[in-house]
Amino acid sequence: MFDSRHIRTFHEVVRTGSYSAAARALGYTQPAITQQMKALERSVGTPLFIRAGRQMRLTEAGEALSRHAGVILDSIATAQQQMASLTRLRAGKVRVCAFPSAGATLVPEALTRLAVEHPGVRVELQEGEPPDSLRRVVRGECDITLAFTYPGLHEQVPEELVEIPLLEDQLTVLLPTGHPMARRRAVKLAELADERWIAGCLRCRTNFLHECAELGFAPDIAFTTDDNLVVQSLVAEGLGIAMMPGLVLSFLVHQKVTGRALDPASRRQVSAYVLREHLEIPATALVLQELRRTAENKVGC
């Protein structure tokens, strides 16, 4: 209904008391002011000014608009400042959803650098495993999700999402330090067929069962947990062994646990996923950039 330029001019006419004074203050010609006020009156559908001799007075509609004009202009100025801050990366909020091992490795390093270089950009962290974490992006519950896929499972990714590959994470086997296989540089999964196992999240467990089936055995899964620290504790006590992502090796907390690569190598793809239109949002693009920089230095990249 309103053109912000006309509101600004109207506000100046009211403040200065005449078209000519407003023209001088704004650097316009008086006919330009007259034309803008006529256009504003057409927009509201009623006169805003009446003349009484040489005096110009506001109509009832003009009085009402005058009460709102200052607020409108202040709101526009505030919005312009906020937009400038967002586009120049002085401010912005990005919601990131990450699976646990990425949340413990990729995310902290990326956010540390971000906090130094762009302190106005705020990142809110959520935890979630795929495929639910992928659906959160589609539902608008987060802006970026970090997820992983296994090549042998042919997993479906929602078509609305854009994938940004970050790294290939090599799978490892966590063993008690006294385990005979712990002395090797790499272990063969088939040689561990008789072991008791600790399985992880649904997607990891599905891949683990798939790889075991490819080798002709069904593993004895004694425990199932999504908690990496619980897995390490169980392994440390000799209650089982676990196939885990290489990212976990960077935060092993038990001295009694050793990680060994699989031979032949087995990997999962770690990627960031966003809605296509979010790639154009400066703060989101910046967080993705920092995640890529961090991933380049990680094991398995």
Side-chain angles (χ1 to χ4, degrees), residues 10 19 24 31 43 45 48 50 54 56 106 118 126 133 154 164 175 184 190 237 240 242 244 266 290 300:
F10 170 79
Y19 286 3
R24 288 192 296 271
S43 295
L48 298 172
I50 56 174
R54 293 188 176 183
M56 188 170 62
L106 294 176
H118 299 278
Q126 308 170 13
S133 59
H154 308 293
I164 297 94
L175 303 163
R184 299 187 184 181
E237 297 301 323
M244 299 287 284
S266 180
E290 294 300 340

Side-chain angles (χ1 to χ4, degrees), residues 258-270:
T258 300
R260 290 292 178 259
L262 286 169
D263 178 25
S266 180
R267 296 180 175 86
R268 66 178 183 174
Q269 176 66 51
V270 176

Side-chain angles (χ1 to χ4, degrees), residues 84-153:
S85 293
L86 291 170
T87 56
R88 295 171 188 169
L89 290 175
R90 291 198 299 265
K93 182 177 74 174
V94 182
R95 299 163 300 166
V96 176
C97 181
F99 57 93
S101 55
T105 53
L106 294 176
V107 174
E109 289 188 34
L111 297 194
T112 297
R113 196 159 44 234
L114 189 70
V116 172
E117 299 176 4
H118 299 278
V121 175
R122 176 185 175 87
V123 177
E124 295 183 356
L125 183 60
Q126 308 170 13
E127 184 176 294
E129 298 274 4
D132 178 64
S133 59
L134 295 170
R135 292 193 287 265
R136 288 191 197 180
V137 185
V138 177
R139 293 194 299 262
E141 296 171 7
C142 63
D143 305 304
I144 300 172
T145 196
L146 300 182
F148 55 87
T149 55
Y150 289 102
L153 299 185

Side-chain angles (χ1 to χ4, degrees), residues 3-301:
D3 185 316
S4 61
R5 295 171 301 171
H6 296 166
I7 295 294
R8 186 171 287 108
T9 300
F10 170 79
H11 185 65
E12 195 63 26
V13 170
V14 174
R15 188 185 71 83
T16 59
S18 69
Y19 286 3
S20 57
R24 288 192 296 271
L26 295 173
Y28 293 159
T29 64
Q30 183 170 330
I33 298 292
T34 301
Q35 290 301 317
Q36 286 194 41
M37 291 303 91
K38 286 182 178 179
L40 181 58
E41 288 177 332
R42 286 196 297 270
S43 295
V44 299
T46 187
L48 298 172
F49 301 99
I50 56 174
R51 288 194 176 277
R54 293 188 176 183
Q55 295 288 321
M56 188 170 62
R57 294 188 320 195
L58 289 168
T59 64
E60 184 179 0
E63 292 282 2
L65 183 57
S66 179
R67 288 193 293 270
H68 294 289
V71 176
I72 293 170
L73 294 174
D74 287 344
S75 296
I76 290 173
T78 300
Q80 288 173 334
Q81 291 172 0
Q82 290 180 350
M83 294 304 101
S85 293
L86 291 170
T87 56
R88 295 171 188 169
L89 290 175
R90 291 198 299 265
K93 182 177 74 174
V94 182
R95 299 163 300 166
V96 176
C97 181
F99 57 93
S101 55
T105 53
L106 294 176
V107 174
E109 289 188 34
L111 297 194
T112 297
R113 196 159 44 234
L114 189 70
V116 172
E117 299 176 4
H118 299 278
V121 175
R122 176 185 175 87
V123 177
E124 295 183 356
L125 183 60
Q126 308 170 13
E127 184 176 294
E129 298 274 4
D132 178 64
S133 59
L134 295 170
R135 292 193 287 265
R136 288 191 197 180
V137 185
V138 177
R139 293 194 299 262
E141 296 171 7
C142 63
D143 305 304
I144 300 172
T145 196
L146 300 182
F148 55 87
T149 55
Y150 289 102
L153 299 185
H154 308 293
E155 295 155 314
Q156 296 296 315
V157 173
E159 60 182 14
E160 301 97 319
L161 299 182
V162 176
E163 178 183 4
I164 297 94
L166 296 177
L167 60 83
E168 287 189 344
D169 191 15
Q170 183 166 326
L171 300 182
T172 64
V173 176
L174 296 189
L175 303 163
T177 52
H179 194 284
M181 296 285 186
R183 295 190 292 270
R184 299 187 184 181
R185 292 177 61 87
V187 298
K188 296 184 182 297
L189 186 59
E191 295 176 323
L192 301 170
D194 295 329
E195 297 281 346
R196 283 160 51 94
W197 289 88
I198 305 154
C201 73
L202 177 60
R203 182 169 285 199
C204 293
R205 185 163 65 252
T206 301
N207 177 72
F208 172 56
L209 292 172
H210 171 75
E211 294 204 19
C212 292
E214 290 284 297
L215 295 172
F217 74 95
D220 175 15
I221 297 178
F223 305 98
T224 298
T225 175
D226 293 347
D227 191 318
N228 289 320
L229 293 179
V230 173
V231 173
Q232 292 179 45
S233 296
L234 292 171
V235 173
E237 297 301 323
L239 297 173
I241 65 174
M243 188 163 79
M244 299 287 284
L247 286 174
V248 171
L249 297 181
S250 64
F251 58 94
L252 280 179
V253 296
H254 286 284
Q255 295 181 347
K256 297 179 181 180
V257 176
T258 300
R260 290 292 178 259
L262 286 169
D263 178 25
S266 180
R267 296 180 175 86
R268 66 178 183 174
Q269 176 66 51
V270 176
S271 300
Y273 296 86
V274 296
L275 293 170
R276 187 172 303 278
E277 53 268 30
H278 284 192
L279 293 172
E280 304 300 322
I281 299 174
T284 301
L286 182 66
V287 173
L288 288 171
Q289 174 186 307
E290 294 300 340
L291 288 169
R292 284 194 295 263
R293 287 174 60 186
T294 302
E296 289 173 357
N297 300 318
K298 287 296 176 187
V299 174
C301 180

